[in-house]
Amino acid sequence: QASSNEGDLVLDPFCGCGTAVHAAEKLNRRWIGIDITHLAISLIEKRLRDAFGPSCEFDVHGTPKDLASAFDLAKRDKYQFQYWAVSLVNANPSQDKKKGPDGGLDGVKYFYDIRGEAKKIVISVKGGENLKADDLRAINHVRETQNAEIGLLISLAKPTKTMRAEALKAGIYHGGPDGKRQYPKLQLLTIEGLLDGTERAEHPDFVPDVNFKKPKKEKRSRQKKIFDEE
Protein backbone atom coordinates (compact mmCIF):
# COMPACT_ATOMS: atom_id res chain seq x y z
CA GLN A 1 0.00 0.00 0.00
CA ALA A 2 2.89 2.37 0.71
CA SER A 3 4.69 1.90 -2.60
CA SER A 4 2.15 0.72 -5.19
CA ASN A 5 -1.38 1.27 -6.44
CA GLU A 6 -4.14 -1.09 -7.50
CA GLY A 7 -3.37 -2.64 -10.86
CA ASP A 8 0.39 -2.12 -10.52
CA LEU A 9 2.80 -4.97 -11.12
CA VAL A 10 4.70 -6.21 -8.05
CA LEU A 11 7.86 -8.30 -8.50
CA ASP A 12 9.35 -10.41 -5.70
CA PRO A 13 12.41 -12.19 -7.16
CA PHE A 14 13.08 -14.13 -3.93
CA CYS A 15 9.52 -14.93 -2.90
CA GLY A 16 10.27 -17.57 -0.24
CA CYS A 17 7.06 -18.24 1.69
CA GLY A 18 4.99 -15.92 -0.50
CA THR A 19 4.10 -13.04 1.82
CA ALA A 20 4.57 -10.34 -0.83
CA VAL A 21 2.56 -12.12 -3.55
CA HIS A 22 -0.16 -12.94 -1.00
CA ALA A 23 -0.43 -9.24 -0.11
CA ALA A 24 -0.38 -8.24 -3.78
CA GLU A 25 -3.21 -10.66 -4.57
CA LYS A 26 -5.26 -9.39 -1.64
CA LEU A 27 -4.75 -5.73 -2.58
CA ASN A 28 -5.58 -6.13 -6.28
CA ARG A 29 -2.06 -5.86 -7.67
CA ARG A 30 -0.68 -7.92 -10.50
CA TRP A 31 2.34 -9.88 -9.36
CA ILE A 32 5.28 -12.10 -10.31
CA GLY A 33 7.05 -14.26 -7.73
CA ILE A 34 10.34 -16.06 -8.36
CA ASP A 35 12.17 -18.63 -6.29
CA ILE A 36 14.92 -21.15 -7.01
CA THR A 37 13.40 -24.06 -5.05
CA HIS A 38 10.43 -26.21 -5.98
CA LEU A 39 9.64 -26.49 -2.28
CA ALA A 40 8.96 -22.74 -2.04
CA ILE A 41 6.83 -22.68 -5.19
CA SER A 42 4.64 -25.61 -4.10
CA LEU A 43 4.09 -24.06 -0.66
CA ILE A 44 3.10 -20.71 -2.20
CA GLU A 45 0.65 -22.42 -4.58
CA LYS A 46 -1.04 -24.06 -1.61
CA ARG A 47 -1.01 -20.86 0.42
CA LEU A 48 -2.75 -18.86 -2.32
CA ARG A 49 -5.38 -21.51 -3.01
CA ASP A 50 -6.16 -21.94 0.68
CA ALA A 51 -6.43 -18.18 1.22
CA PHE A 52 -8.32 -17.12 -1.92
CA GLY A 53 -9.97 -20.29 -3.19
CA PRO A 54 -10.65 -21.14 -6.84
CA SER A 55 -11.00 -17.48 -7.82
CA CYS A 56 -7.22 -17.06 -7.47
CA GLU A 57 -5.79 -17.75 -10.92
CA PHE A 58 -2.08 -17.82 -11.67
CA ASP A 59 0.40 -19.56 -13.97
CA VAL A 60 3.37 -21.57 -12.73
CA HIS A 61 6.42 -21.74 -14.96
CA GLY A 62 9.47 -23.95 -14.53
CA THR A 63 7.90 -26.92 -12.74
CA PRO A 64 7.41 -30.25 -14.57
CA LYS A 65 4.10 -30.59 -16.35
CA ASP A 66 4.70 -33.93 -18.05
CA LEU A 67 6.85 -37.05 -17.78
CA ALA A 68 9.61 -35.74 -20.06
CA SER A 69 10.12 -32.58 -18.00
CA ALA A 70 10.06 -34.68 -14.81
CA PHE A 71 12.87 -36.85 -16.18
CA ASP A 72 14.77 -33.68 -17.09
CA LEU A 73 14.49 -32.26 -13.57
CA ALA A 74 15.56 -35.58 -12.04
CA LYS A 75 18.71 -35.60 -14.19
CA ARG A 76 19.57 -31.96 -13.48
CA ASP A 77 18.93 -31.88 -9.72
CA LYS A 78 17.71 -34.96 -7.87
CA TYR A 79 17.10 -33.02 -4.66
CA GLN A 80 14.80 -30.48 -6.29
CA PHE A 81 13.11 -33.41 -8.02
CA GLN A 82 12.47 -35.00 -4.64
CA TYR A 83 11.03 -31.76 -3.23
CA TRP A 84 8.73 -31.43 -6.22
CA ALA A 85 7.65 -35.09 -6.20
CA VAL A 86 6.79 -34.94 -2.49
CA SER A 87 4.54 -31.93 -3.19
CA LEU A 88 2.49 -34.05 -5.63
CA VAL A 89 1.03 -35.93 -2.65
CA ASN A 90 0.64 -32.75 -0.57
CA ALA A 91 3.38 -33.76 1.86
CA ASN A 92 6.35 -32.08 3.53
CA PRO A 93 9.98 -32.91 2.78
CA SER A 94 11.56 -34.80 5.66
CA GLN A 95 12.87 -32.54 8.40
CA ASP A 96 16.50 -31.39 8.26
CA LYS A 97 16.90 -32.95 4.82
CA LYS A 98 20.44 -32.43 3.57
CA LYS A 99 22.30 -33.53 0.49
CA GLY A 100 23.63 -37.04 1.01
CA PRO A 101 22.16 -40.38 2.10
CA ASP A 102 18.64 -39.94 3.44
CA GLY A 103 17.96 -43.47 4.62
CA GLY A 104 15.08 -43.79 2.16
CA LEU A 105 12.99 -41.07 3.81
CA ASP A 106 12.21 -38.09 1.54
CA GLY A 107 8.88 -36.84 2.86
CA VAL A 108 6.37 -37.10 5.68
CA LYS A 109 2.63 -36.62 5.81
CA TYR A 110 0.07 -36.96 8.62
CA PHE A 111 -3.61 -37.72 8.97
CA TYR A 112 -6.04 -38.14 11.85
CA ASP A 113 -7.66 -41.46 12.63
CA ILE A 114 -11.27 -41.83 13.77
CA ARG A 115 -10.20 -41.24 17.39
CA GLY A 116 -8.52 -37.95 16.52
CA GLU A 117 -4.98 -39.28 16.85
CA ALA A 118 -2.33 -38.15 14.34
CA LYS A 119 -0.88 -40.96 12.22
CA LYS A 120 2.20 -40.83 10.01
CA ILE A 121 2.80 -41.52 6.32
CA VAL A 122 6.40 -41.78 5.07
CA ILE A 123 7.45 -41.12 1.47
CA SER A 124 10.41 -42.24 -0.63
CA VAL A 125 11.12 -40.80 -4.09
CA LYS A 126 13.06 -42.61 -6.81
CA GLY A 127 14.08 -40.66 -9.90
CA GLY A 128 16.00 -43.34 -11.75
CA GLU A 129 14.89 -45.14 -14.88
CA ASN A 130 14.77 -48.49 -13.07
CA LEU A 131 12.93 -49.54 -9.94
CA LYS A 132 14.32 -52.37 -7.82
CA ALA A 133 12.80 -54.72 -5.27
CA ASP A 134 15.28 -53.26 -2.76
CA ASP A 135 13.57 -49.87 -3.15
CA LEU A 136 10.32 -51.46 -2.02
CA ARG A 137 11.98 -53.17 0.94
CA ALA A 138 13.68 -49.92 1.93
CA ILE A 139 10.47 -47.87 2.19
CA ASN A 140 8.76 -50.67 4.08
CA HIS A 141 11.69 -50.73 6.51
CA VAL A 142 11.37 -46.96 6.95
CA ARG A 143 7.62 -47.35 7.54
CA GLU A 144 8.24 -49.90 10.27
CA THR A 145 11.11 -48.07 11.99
CA GLN A 146 9.26 -44.74 11.86
CA ASN A 147 6.09 -46.35 13.30
CA ALA A 148 4.18 -45.05 10.27
CA GLU A 149 0.86 -46.51 9.19
CA ILE A 150 1.47 -46.05 5.44
CA GLY A 151 4.50 -45.86 3.16
CA LEU A 152 4.47 -44.27 -0.31
CA LEU A 153 7.07 -45.06 -2.97
CA ILE A 154 6.94 -42.42 -5.74
CA SER A 155 8.92 -43.28 -8.86
CA LEU A 156 9.56 -42.24 -12.43
CA ALA A 157 9.83 -45.89 -13.46
CA LYS A 158 6.78 -48.11 -13.45
CA PRO A 159 6.77 -50.91 -10.86
CA THR A 160 6.34 -54.47 -12.07
CA LYS A 161 3.32 -56.63 -11.29
CA THR A 162 5.57 -58.66 -9.00
CA MET A 163 6.46 -55.53 -7.03
CA ARG A 164 2.82 -54.52 -6.73
CA ALA A 165 1.96 -57.99 -5.46
CA GLU A 166 4.85 -57.79 -2.99
CA ALA A 167 3.61 -54.42 -1.73
CA LEU A 168 0.23 -55.91 -0.85
CA LYS A 169 1.93 -58.29 1.55
CA ALA A 170 2.65 -55.34 3.85
CA GLY A 171 -1.01 -55.44 4.85
CA ILE A 172 -3.97 -53.08 5.13
CA TYR A 173 -4.63 -50.08 7.36
CA HIS A 174 -8.25 -49.78 8.46
CA GLY A 175 -9.49 -46.20 8.87
CA GLY A 176 -11.68 -43.53 7.34
CA PRO A 177 -14.83 -41.89 8.76
CA ASP A 178 -16.21 -45.21 9.98
CA GLY A 179 -12.88 -46.84 10.81
CA LYS A 180 -13.60 -49.65 8.36
CA ARG A 181 -12.20 -48.43 5.05
CA GLN A 182 -9.11 -50.18 3.75
CA TYR A 183 -5.86 -48.51 2.69
CA PRO A 184 -2.74 -50.41 1.57
CA LYS A 185 0.10 -49.91 4.03
CA LEU A 186 2.58 -49.85 1.16
CA GLN A 187 1.63 -47.97 -2.00
CA LEU A 188 3.47 -47.64 -5.30
CA LEU A 189 2.79 -44.39 -7.15
CA THR A 190 4.27 -43.19 -10.43
CA ILE A 191 5.03 -39.60 -11.43
CA GLU A 192 3.05 -40.13 -14.62
CA GLY A 193 -0.03 -41.29 -12.72
CA LEU A 194 0.15 -38.41 -10.23
CA LEU A 195 0.50 -35.88 -13.06
CA ASP A 196 -2.41 -37.17 -15.13
CA GLY A 197 -4.66 -37.78 -12.13
CA THR A 198 -5.00 -41.55 -12.55
CA GLU A 199 -3.20 -42.23 -9.27
CA ARG A 200 -3.39 -40.70 -5.80
CA ALA A 201 -2.16 -41.51 -2.32
CA GLU A 202 -4.82 -43.52 -0.49
CA HIS A 203 -5.30 -42.57 3.15
CA PRO A 204 -7.97 -41.09 5.41
CA ASP A 205 -8.42 -37.44 4.48
CA PHE A 206 -11.89 -36.68 5.75
CA VAL A 207 -10.61 -34.30 8.44
CA PRO A 208 -8.90 -30.88 8.09
CA ASP A 209 -5.38 -31.03 6.68
CA VAL A 210 -2.83 -31.40 9.49
CA ASN A 211 0.25 -31.08 7.27
CA PHE A 212 0.29 -27.34 6.66
CA LYS A 213 -0.78 -24.36 8.71
CA LYS A 214 -3.50 -22.81 6.58
CA PRO A 215 -3.82 -19.05 6.13
CA LYS A 216 -7.14 -17.45 6.91
CA LYS A 217 -9.63 -17.07 4.09
CA GLU A 218 -9.04 -13.75 2.38
CA LYS A 219 -11.28 -11.26 0.67
CA ARG A 220 -9.66 -8.92 -1.78
CA SER A 221 -9.37 -5.40 -0.38
CA ARG A 222 -9.89 -2.04 -1.96
CA GLN A 223 -7.10 0.37 -1.13
CA LYS A 224 -8.05 3.43 0.83
CA LYS A 225 -6.67 6.78 -0.27
CA ILE A 226 -3.65 7.90 1.72
CA PHE A 227 -4.37 11.58 1.12
CA ASP A 228 -7.70 13.24 0.49
CA GLU A 229 -7.94 14.86 -2.91
CA GLU A 230 -8.43 18.58 -2.86
Side-chain angles (χ1 to χ4, degrees), residues 6 25 28 40 47 95 110 118 120 132 153 182:
E6 289 185 17
E25 180 71 21
N28 298 298
R47 175 177 182 169
Q95 294 295 317
Y110 295 90
K120 184 187 286 187
K132 306 182 298 293
L153 178 58
Q182 298 183 351

Side-chain angles (χ1 to χ4, degrees), residues 2-225:
S3 58
S4 66
N5 298 308
E6 289 185 17
D8 284 353
L9 178 62
V10 175
L11 171 67
D12 185 352
F14 308 98
C15 56
C17 61
T19 301
V21 297
H22 185 141
E25 180 71 21
K26 180 179 179 180
L27 296 172
N28 298 298
R29 273 73 168 160
R30 296 174 298 138
W31 53 264
I32 297 172
I34 303 170
D35 203 277
I36 195 171
T37 72
H38 289 273
L39 173 60
I41 299 304
S42 62
L43 289 175
I44 294 171
E45 286 185 75
K46 181 170 178 58
R47 175 177 182 169
L48 291 172
R49 291 194 175 104
D50 286 343
F52 299 100
S55 64
C56 184
E57 297 181 358
F58 51 85
D59 295 321
V60 180
H61 300 274
T63 58
K65 297 293 191 298
D66 52 34
L67 196 58
S69 54
F71 268 106
D72 179 67
L73 176 60
K75 290 179 180 178
R76 286 188 290 109
D77 191 326
K78 71 175 185 178
Y79 299 101
Q80 291 301 322
F81 173 77
Q82 290 171 358
Y83 291 141
W84 169 76
V86 165
S87 75
L88 295 180
V89 293
N90 205 28
N92 285 311
S94 58
Q95 294 295 317
D96 300 321
K97 185 172 177 58
K98 299 177 181 179
K99 292 186 178 182
D102 53 25
L105 180 61
D106 296 313
V108 179
K109 188 174 184 178
Y110 295 90
F111 64 90
Y112 283 124
D113 66 8
I114 195 171
R115 295 178 296 276
E117 297 178 356
K119 300 295 183 180
K120 184 187 286 187
I121 299 172
V122 291
I123 299 131
S124 178
V125 177
K126 297 299 176 184
E129 296 183 4
N130 298 304
L131 199 59
K132 306 182 298 293
D134 285 346
D135 297 327
L136 188 61
R137 299 187 190 102
I139 183 59
N140 197 39
H141 177 71
V142 170
R143 183 185 66 82
E144 293 173 344
T145 56
Q146 292 279 325
N147 294 316
E149 300 297 338
I150 295 172
L152 307 178
L153 178 58
I154 302 175
S155 63
L156 276 171
K158 292 184 178 181
T160 64
K161 290 183 179 179
T162 301
M163 291 182 69
R164 291 195 180 279
E166 188 69 22
L168 292 175
K169 295 180 181 179
I172 298 294
Y173 172 77
H174 296 273
D178 55 6
K180 298 179 180 179
R181 298 185 185 181
Q182 298 183 351
Y183 307 90
K185 288 187 175 182
L186 197 55
Q187 301 176 27
L188 304 180
L189 303 170
T190 64
I191 293 295
E192 184 177 21
L194 292 171
L195 285 175
D196 65 21
T198 58
E199 298 178 20
R200 67 183 296 271
E202 297 180 33
H203 56 79
D205 54 4
F206 60 96
V207 295
D209 188 0
V210 294
N211 298 285
F212 300 90
K213 182 179 179 180
K214 290 190 175 183
K216 67 178 182 179
K217 293 290 185 181
E218 295 279 19
K219 293 183 179 179
R220 289 175 176 78
S221 303
R222 304 296 297 184
Q223 181 172 339
K224 296 180 180 179
K225 294 180 180 179

